[in-house]
């Protein structure tokens, strides 16, 4: 798995956006001003930005052409119908409700179905999904297979749900108490790992046998479908579109952040079969997002999504996309850098506590790695570890750190070339050789919620 092919770009460059290198001295000053928090760094001070794959895609000439065809009518814009048709042809549900991004879709769906005390199972909730369940007084329950938490288990479908656990959980709780079961594909909070078609079918059967609705968190559905085609027995002869349709045929609906696998910079949607629930969601939508044929977006955004959803299923695109992530992972492994394996669909996750074994967890090795990577090479990555997820942050009690201390290098879609990836791999290899010089950090200022966005730190 460590000898990935060089992913030759299946596109040529028609428009360029300059990026600038800064000096190490400038970056050190920027870090100081930013409280050693890469979220506070102005993006034009960054050379390669791997903070997220969300909303950072490059659109195609075809999508930009569609932007010019935006119909900005308040109601019934023609682009809505293109978008509805594109979503229906892949997802297969009758109702298509646009929202301005993924978390708005989550908020509206949960507002309609989650009541105080209701548990919501998922393989692993993404943060916004978790927060939107909790805001309703619901209880997010993660039921991923055990291997999801083992960064060295080289298995093809570590995004799977533990079906036995799910069945037991539903029986114990009583199916009437559970408003829906969700499944995140690929599993962002678990290394960007895919779920298999077999597992999706089993989850669906369990849900149907108990009469509990089953929804996908479908942000990265095309990457998941591609992994199924590459890895699952009996799927090699199918197209990615056929596999996606089979996945969605197992469910009752989906929420989607179009900022990922619809190849756009803003957008999202809910799609579902149930007429009554759709009516209720549209009423909630009108209060906050807008009329049901635009849902917080411009007509041109809907057109870009419609076209992006078709492009994302192009197998040349997907081979390159997943190939880029695998390629970066293989380069890092060659330098001995510890990473989560196998490499996921949208990001390489570094095991930061192993990369920096001299920095104890309470001095935040993942965070320290993001700071060092920016200072040495102008690269921005994101910590997914102690600063983001530690419990009991008072400093008085015993702090519980999350199991994995990760740094995520997310690859924006169609944005960087092989030489950019080589640059990232070389910078990390150099940093790894000099890792003893990297210092831990302490917190000087923090907020009670989602502290990683605003925390200020100093180096020890
Ligand atoms: N679900 C998953 C699995 C996600 O990864 C995200 C966003 C969302 C829902 C929310 O969508 O941002 O459009 O509101 N993930 C981004 C990331 C932010 O960096 O992984 P959104």
């Amino acid at each position: 798995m460590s000898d990935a092919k060089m992913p030759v770009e299946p596109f040529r460059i028609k428009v360029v956006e300059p990026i600038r290198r800064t000096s190490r001295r400038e970056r050190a000053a920027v870090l100081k001003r930013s409280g050693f928090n890469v979220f506070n760094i102005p993006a034009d001070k960054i050379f390669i930005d791997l903070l997220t794959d969300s909303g950072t895609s490059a659109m195609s000439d075809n999508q930009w052409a569609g932007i010019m065809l935006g119909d900005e009518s308040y109601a019934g814009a023609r682009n809505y119908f293109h978008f509805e048709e594109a979503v229906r042809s892949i997802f297969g549900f009758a109702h298509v409700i646009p929202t301005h991004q993924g978390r708005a879709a989550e908020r509206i769906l949960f507002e309609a179905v989650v009541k105080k005390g209701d548990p919501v199972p998922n393989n692993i909730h993404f943060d916004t999904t978790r927060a939107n369940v909790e805001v309703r007084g619901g209880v997010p329950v993660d039921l991923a297979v055990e291997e999801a938490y083992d960064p060295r288990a080289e298995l093809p479908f570590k995004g799977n749900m533990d079906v036995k656990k799910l069945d037991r959980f539903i029986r114990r709780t009583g199916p009437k108490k559970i408003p829906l079961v969700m499944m995140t594909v690929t599993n962002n909070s678990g290394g960007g790992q895919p779920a298999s078609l077999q597992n999706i079918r089993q989850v669906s059967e369990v849900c149907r046998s108990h009469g509990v609705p089953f929804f996908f968190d479908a942000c990265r559905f095309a990457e998941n479908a591609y992994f199924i085609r590459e890895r699952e027995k009996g799927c090699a002869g199918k197209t990615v579109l056929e596999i996606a349709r089979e996945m969605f045929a197992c469910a009752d609906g989906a929420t989607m952040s179009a900022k990922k696998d619809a190849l756009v910079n803003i957008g999202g949607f809910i799609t579902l079969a149930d007429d009554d629930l759709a009516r209720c969601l549209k009423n909630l939508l009108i209060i906050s997002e807008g009329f049901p044929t635009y849902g917080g977006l411009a007509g041109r955004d809907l057109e870009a999504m419609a076209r992006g959803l078709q492009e994302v299923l192009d197998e040349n695109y997907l081979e390159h996309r997943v190939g880029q992530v695998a390629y970066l992972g293989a380069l890092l492994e060659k330098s001995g850098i510890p990473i989560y394996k196998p490499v996921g669909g949208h990001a390489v996750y570094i095991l930061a506590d192993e990369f920096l074994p001299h920095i104890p967890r309470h001095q935040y090795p993942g965070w320290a790695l993001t700071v060092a990577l920016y200072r040495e090479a102008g690269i921005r990555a994101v910590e997914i570890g102690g600063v983001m997820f530690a419990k009991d942050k008072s400093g008085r009690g015993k702090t519980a750190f999350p199991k994995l201390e990760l740094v995520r290098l997310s690859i924006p879609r169609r944005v960087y070339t092989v030489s950019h990836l080589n640059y990232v791999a070389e910078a990390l290899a150099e940093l790894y050789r000099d890792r003893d010089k990297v210092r831990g950090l302490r917190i000087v200022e923090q907020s009670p919620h989602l502290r990683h966005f605003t925390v200020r730190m100093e180096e020890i």
Side-chain angles (χ1 to χ4, degrees):
M1 219 167 257
S2 59
D3 249 351
K5 281 201 310 235
M6 186 174 81
V8 178
E9 292 78 23
F11 50 78
R12 54 185 176 181
I13 294 163
K14 190 179 319 227
V15 176
V16 295
E17 180 186 5
I19 47 176
R20 276 182 197 88
R21 300 186 72 167
T22 45
S23 66
R24 188 179 186 282
R25 202 158 150 194
E26 193 178 345
R27 292 192 296 272
V30 167
L31 272 173
K32 216 166 180 187
R33 281 201 298 278
S34 307
F36 296 91
N37 181 345
V38 295
F39 281 102
N40 291 336
I41 299 177
D44 63 4
K45 299 284 181 214
I46 286 162
F47 185 49
I48 308 277
D49 202 348
L50 306 183
L51 186 68
T52 179
D53 65 319
S54 180
T56 52
S57 300
M59 293 205 294
S60 65
D61 51 358
N62 176 50
Q63 284 175 296
W64 280 109
I67 292 265
M68 283 308 291
L69 300 175
D71 166 1
E72 305 307 341
S73 307
Y74 189 92
R78 78 174 90 85
N79 313 108
Y80 172 76
F81 299 104
H82 300 166
F83 160 70
E84 182 186 48
E85 174 51 33
V87 176
R88 274 193 190 147
S89 76
I90 300 165
F91 289 69
F93 303 111
H95 302 284
V96 181
I97 303 171
T99 60
H100 82 275
Q101 62 182 80
R103 66 198 72 181
E106 293 162 2
R107 180 177 55 77
I108 287 167
L109 176 63
F110 297 155
E111 193 171 336
V113 302
V114 177
K115 294 188 303 296
K116 198 161 190 276
D118 286 355
V120 178
N122 202 321
N123 42 0
I124 303 184
H125 286 79
F126 179 68
D127 339 2
T128 61
T129 327
R130 182 181 305 279
N132 273 300
V133 170
E134 285 171 348
V135 156
R136 304 299 310 160
V139 183
V141 180
D142 292 343
L143 296 175
V145 290
E146 254 339 286
E147 307 88 83
Y149 299 97
D150 176 357
R152 301 211 192 280
E154 286 231 30
L155 298 165
F157 293 109
K158 291 166 76 173
N160 282 352
M161 185 99 88
D162 187 325
V163 181
K164 281 210 183 95
K165 255 196 212 161
L166 174 68
D167 189 49
R168 240 180 291 138
F169 183 82
I170 298 177
R171 283 173 199 280
R172 217 177 41 228
T173 314
K176 291 214 163 62
K177 267 298 286 160
I178 301 174
L180 78 170
V181 169
M182 286 199 86
M183 188 153 179
T184 307
V185 290
T186 58
N187 185 15
N188 188 12
S189 305
Q193 302 295 307
S196 71
L197 200 49
Q198 186 192 25
N199 185 255
I200 290 167
R201 289 206 181 103
Q202 289 169 340
V203 168
S204 170
E205 268 163 40
V206 167
C207 290
R208 284 196 179 147
S209 74
H210 292 293
V212 178
F214 172 36
F215 273 65
F216 279 104
D217 176 343
C219 301
R220 300 179 180 85
F221 76 94
E223 289 160 13
N224 198 98
Y226 182 78
F227 278 126
I228 288 175
R229 206 198 56 182
E230 295 301 294
R231 295 180 181 175
E232 192 159 350
K233 225 168 98 196
C235 292
K238 298 179 189 179
T239 66
V240 178
L241 173 61
E242 284 165 348
I243 293 169
R245 284 177 177 156
E246 282 183 51
M247 287 165 57
F248 295 122
C250 295
D252 300 288
T255 58
M256 171 87 184
S257 167
K259 297 170 75 171
K260 286 82 167 171
D261 271 355
L263 297 171
V264 291
N265 305 118
I266 194 73
F269 57 87
I270 311 167
T271 180
L272 72 166
D274 188 294
D275 298 333
D276 293 332
L277 181 55
R279 210 170 300 122
C280 169
L281 297 181
K282 283 181 195 172
N283 287 333
L284 292 171
L285 187 84
I286 289 173
I287 296 168
S288 59
E289 293 280 292
F291 192 72
T293 61
Y294 74 83
L297 294 164
R300 53 179 173 268
D301 299 326
L302 296 167
E303 189 62 38
M305 274 203 284
R307 295 178 184 217
L309 281 168
Q310 287 159 358
E311 290 175 16
V312 81
L313 292 166
D314 175 341
E315 309 197 357
N316 291 320
Y317 158 79
L318 279 168
E319 184 188 355
H320 169 257
R321 162 71 181 152
V322 171
Q324 272 205 325
V325 185
Y327 176 72
L328 178 60
L331 292 183
L332 298 190
E333 274 207 282
K334 231 179 240 170
S335 306
I337 295 172
I339 60 172
Y340 186 103
K341 289 181 68 176
V343 173
H346 67 295
V348 179
Y349 295 68
I350 299 173
L351 308 175
D353 50 339
E354 294 184 25
F355 191 112
L356 299 171
H358 60 288
I359 301 181
R361 290 298 294 274
H362 65 272
Q363 293 178 9
Y364 307 108
W367 201 269
L369 183 53
T370 64
V371 167
L373 189 58
Y374 176 70
R375 182 163 40 215
E376 298 311 322
I379 298 165
R380 178 156 67 173
V382 66
E383 184 244 30
I384 302 184
V387 178
M388 199 179 265
F389 288 129
K391 296 267 181 321
D392 180 18
K393 293 148 184 174
S394 63
R396 287 187 293 276
K398 228 172 132 140
T399 305
F401 288 100
K403 211 162 166 185
L404 297 177
E405 176 79 7
L406 303 171
V407 166
R408 186 182 75 171
L409 306 166
S410 343
I411 314 291
R413 294 167 182 78
R414 304 192 292 208
V415 169
Y416 293 119
T417 63
V418 163
S419 71
H420 292 120
L421 300 181
N422 289 343
Y423 172 83
V424 172
E426 277 170 27
L428 272 158
E430 216 164 289
L431 197 56
Y432 192 54
R433 281 194 292 274
D434 285 340
R435 57 189 178 276
D436 297 352
K437 294 194 194 122
V438 178
R439 286 144 69 192
L441 296 110
R442 75 169 75 84
I443 291 175
V444 288
E445 207 183 298
Q446 62 178 320
S447 63
H449 303 292
L450 298 172
R451 66 173 174 175
H452 52 284
F453 289 125
T454 52
V455 69
R456 297 189 75 84
M457 305 276 239
E458 67 187 14
E459 284 186 311
I460 294 168

